[in-house]
């Protein structure tokens, strides 16, 4: 194995570790976390590694972050999300089939194919709000 390959393999493991630890992570979040251990790690490397993991089906993609960045998802099965519009955190949720049927009735002749993202305010943001009052 060439040195460059070995280095990439190491980052593949590390990128996966960060995404699995957090559940969901953008490239910027992955980079921030890994730079603590690897100060010289470049954004391009993280980008390349996460993209490859996605193409290989090892990572999924969740809803985009508030600034529009791609967000990788440790859970590759089909699932829905709750996303906080204040802090941008996402959480996996599973919306029951019965609800999907009701939604389907309301989109008339269009069909739902992709996962759903429900937006709102998460618990910790709600708490922060209350404390400021
Ligand atoms: Zn929040
Ligand atoms: Zn998810």
């Amino acid at each position: 194995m060439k040195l460059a390959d070995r280095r990439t393999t190491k980052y593949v493991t590390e990128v996966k570790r960060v995404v699995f630890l957090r559940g969901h992570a953008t490239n910027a979040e992955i980079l921030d976390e890994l730079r603590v251990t690897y100060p010289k790690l470049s954004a391009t490397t993280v980008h390349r590694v996460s993209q490859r993991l996605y193409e290989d089906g090892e990572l999924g993609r969740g809803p985009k972050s508030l600034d529009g960045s791609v967000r990788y998802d440790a859970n590759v099965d089909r699932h829905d999300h709750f996303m906080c519009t204040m802090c941008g955190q996402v959480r996996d949720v599973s919306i029951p089939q019965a609800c999907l049927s009701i939604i389907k009735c309301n989109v008339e002749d269009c069909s739902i194919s992709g996962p759903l993202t429900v937006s709102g305010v998460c618990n910790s943001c709600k708490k922060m709000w209350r404390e400021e009052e």
Side-chain angles (χ1 to χ4, degrees):
M1 203 190 267
K2 280 181 293 177
L3 184 67
D5 288 342
R6 201 154 50 211
R7 209 169 336 168
T8 316
T9 311
K10 179 178 77 186
Y11 290 136
V12 168
T13 314
E14 290 292 282
V15 166
K16 256 165 77 172
R17 186 180 59 82
V18 173
V19 178
F20 276 77
L21 200 76
R22 304 175 66 119
H24 306 87
T26 62
N27 281 324
E29 287 167 342
I30 298 169
L31 185 65
D32 268 2
E33 184 133 355
L34 291 184
R35 276 237 173 111
V36 177
T37 324
Y38 311 102
K40 285 189 198 137
L41 181 62
S42 74
T44 320
T45 304
V46 170
H47 218 95
R48 218 171 30 218
V49 169
S50 56
Q51 176 66 26
R52 204 173 82 191
L53 284 165
Y54 172 69
E55 281 163 11
D56 291 347
E58 298 217 42
L59 291 180
R61 268 188 186 166
K64 289 201 169 157
S65 71
L66 291 179
D67 63 6
S69 317
V70 172
R71 178 169 3 220
Y72 291 96
D73 196 329
N75 183 353
V76 292
D77 295 327
R78 190 210 171 280
H79 63 282
D80 306 302
H81 290 96
F82 173 83
M83 178 165 161
C84 176
T85 50
M86 293 189 74
C87 66
Q89 289 301 328
V90 293
R91 203 150 46 89
D92 288 352
V93 289
S94 102
I95 295 173
Q97 197 56 46
C99 293
L100 290 179
S101 306
I102 296 170
I103 296 170
K104 232 176 247 168
C105 293
N106 286 282
V107 293
E108 291 168 4
D109 46 4
C110 304
S111 63
I112 309 174
S113 53
L116 298 180
T117 303
V118 180
S119 53
V121 180
C122 77
N123 233 334
S124 45
C125 287
K126 246 193 310 205
K127 252 183 238 151
M128 242 161 48
W129 247 0
R130 257 185 245 129
E131 272 157 28
E132 276 169 21
E133 275 169 8

